[in-house]
Amino acid sequence: MPGNRVRRSTAAIGALCGALLAVTTTAHAQTTADHPATSAALRTFQSAAGPGAAVHAGDGAAAWTLSAGTGTINTNRPIRSDEHFRAGSQTKTFTAATVLQLVDEGKVSLNEPIDTYLPGVVTGNGYDGTRITLRHLLQHTSGIAAYDPLASIALAEPDGTYHPATLVREGLKRAPVSAPGGGFRYSNTNYLILGMLIEKITGLPVHQAVTTRIIEPLDLTRTTFPAPGDRALPAPAVNGYHGTRIGPFFFWSPVISYDPSLFGSSGAVISTLEDITSFYQALLAGRVVSPASLAEMQNTGQPGSPSAAIGYGLGIFKADLSCGGTAWGHNGAVPGYHSQTLVTPDGRHASAATNAYLATNPPQAQLAALLDTALCEGREGRQP
């Protein structure tokens, strides 16, 4: 699935090549020899991704982390599983889970039009908020076009932050991409509208609502939904970069700082490989929303529907594994970072990140192969 996409210029300030494969540990001592297939897949991913990459994986009994390349250019500093990075569109699962909690509380309904809760917000230019339901927004079948974050930079408030209503209006300036329910089109605008819904129903800014409802109860101490204006990346942090490739040489420069409210409820969350894994494990274990709401989140639609073809539910998508079974999770990409997490019903997990996002030819296929390998190595032919 695509994450947040931002095109940006590149600047060459140094070359990084021949990075060594390193390993960190969590539950018990590991070496690359313990996971040769995953190690090879990680090297393949990193060679097409940023200066560094890491995968944190395991099952209910043990967890381990492998790292390739470096988290800081011109050094040999492996990315660790406890270092903060911007999780991008993995935020959408946090936002969706918050909306489903409101469903559980009887405060909103998935099949109710968004105009019921936010009258007049989705209207004009061919849009009709009386026909677009919460389910449509959560499943990216609303037909609402995506706003362009790069083109929206000039829409900042005087203090440098961004108001979600302003960004939503920017998305609505573009013509609908389909009738409501008529097609799947990934759009950050959908999740900004859902953030506005959360604020309206809870009376809290969306970053506070997600924090008090999801992050704090799960004790995700290294996960934050930053408030508008808070541009800091907590320490320890993975340094984010942008850059280009010329033959075997990689040219990177530090990513330009931006306000997290530019992505808000569609992509502002900061986490670590360990914490983001714990979130998805808790979600699939039924510790975040009710069983009925979890089933709704995992409902990708009727066979043949646009969302079913993609495997996208409500803020979460499924991945069929090469060793059998299905994993659930989300990916994310914002300036400086590209990541994805998958968790299986039987407790296996894999989360990977790299410290750059390439707007041209992003290595999503290599990332998917890495996660599949981490979840399946040693289990080929076995059913979960």
Side-chain angles (χ1 to χ4, degrees):
M1 305 302 302
N4 299 315
R5 294 179 176 174
V6 183
R7 295 182 178 177
R8 51 206 180 273
S9 61
T10 60
I13 65 168
L16 175 71
C17 59
L20 300 175
L21 184 72
V23 61
T24 59
T25 61
T26 50
H28 61 276
Q30 297 280 312
T31 68
T32 57
D34 293 314
H35 309 283
T38 303
S39 298
L42 176 61
R43 287 192 294 268
T44 298
F45 171 56
Q46 190 271 321
S47 68
V55 58
H56 177 69
D59 53 29
W64 42 271
T65 303
L66 298 176
S67 181
T70 183
T72 303
I73 59 172
N74 303 319
T75 72
N76 181 19
R77 181 178 175 272
I79 294 174
R80 303 198 313 265
S81 59
D82 63 350
E83 292 183 302
H84 297 88
F85 64 91
R86 298 191 186 277
S89 284
Q90 295 196 67
T91 302
K92 290 181 173 64
T93 315
F94 288 80
T95 298
T98 303
V99 172
L100 268 295
Q101 286 187 354
L102 297 177
V103 171
D104 287 336
E105 296 164 11
K107 296 177 180 177
V108 299
S109 172
L110 288 175
N111 297 317
E112 190 71 16
I114 187 61
D115 200 68
T116 300
Y117 308 109
L118 297 174
V121 170
V122 181
T123 188
N125 196 29
Y127 292 103
D128 183 356
T130 67
R131 299 179 57 219
I132 297 172
T133 67
L134 271 60
R135 186 186 300 276
H136 290 146
L137 294 167
L138 287 161
Q139 204 153 34
H140 296 293
T141 57
S142 68
I144 296 176
Y147 77 100
D148 183 346
L150 182 60
S152 301
I153 289 176
L155 302 177
E157 301 295 318
D159 62 358
T161 65
Y162 296 85
H163 197 286
T166 302
L167 300 175
V168 167
R169 286 195 296 270
E170 188 67 14
L172 296 178
K173 288 179 181 178
R174 302 183 176 192
V177 296
S178 72
F184 178 92
R185 181 66 66 87
Y186 193 89
S187 173
N188 286 335
T189 311
N190 289 324
Y191 274 74
L192 291 182
I193 295 170
L194 291 168
M196 294 174 64
L197 169 75
I198 291 170
E199 293 190 341
K200 176 70 175 293
I201 301 301
T202 67
L204 296 172
V206 65
H207 72 275
Q208 289 185 12
V210 172
T211 298
T212 58
R213 285 175 165 268
I214 307 290
I215 296 173
E216 291 178 346
L218 295 180
D219 197 28
L220 302 177
T221 59
R222 293 198 170 183
T223 299
T224 58
F225 190 141
D230 182 3
R231 299 189 176 197
L233 193 60
V238 179
N239 294 309
Y241 297 94
H242 63 82
T244 190
R245 299 174 180 276
I246 302 175
F249 299 102
F250 311 145
F251 299 90
W252 305 108
S253 61
V255 69
I256 298 172
S257 175
Y258 64 90
D259 195 88
S261 58
L262 181 61
F263 296 106
S265 50
S266 73
V269 162
I270 295 168
S271 193
T272 69
L273 292 175
E274 293 176 4
D275 250 27
I276 201 78
T277 296
S278 294
F279 165 63
Y280 283 100
Q281 288 177 316
L283 179 65
L284 262 65
R287 294 170 49 206
V288 179
V289 300
S290 70
S293 285
L294 180 59
E296 290 283 13
M297 293 184 75
Q298 295 177 302
N299 179 3
T300 61
Q302 297 298 317
S305 69
S307 57
I310 300 295
Y312 201 96
L314 307 185
I316 195 170
F317 65 79
K318 70 176 181 179
D320 295 325
L321 301 177
S322 63
C323 54
T326 298
W328 293 89
H330 211 288
N331 66 349
V334 288
Y337 305 94
H338 187 183
S339 63
Q340 184 171 327
T341 303
L342 290 176
V343 174
T344 67
D346 66 346
R348 285 174 290 146
H349 60 86
S351 185
T354 182
N355 52 346
Y357 177 62
L358 304 178
T360 302
N361 298 321
Q364 184 59 44
Q366 295 91 326
L367 176 56
L370 168 60
L371 295 174
D372 180 84
T373 304
L375 290 168
C376 287
E377 187 170 19
R379 300 181 62 92
E380 290 77 3
R382 296 168 56 187
Q383 292 298 316

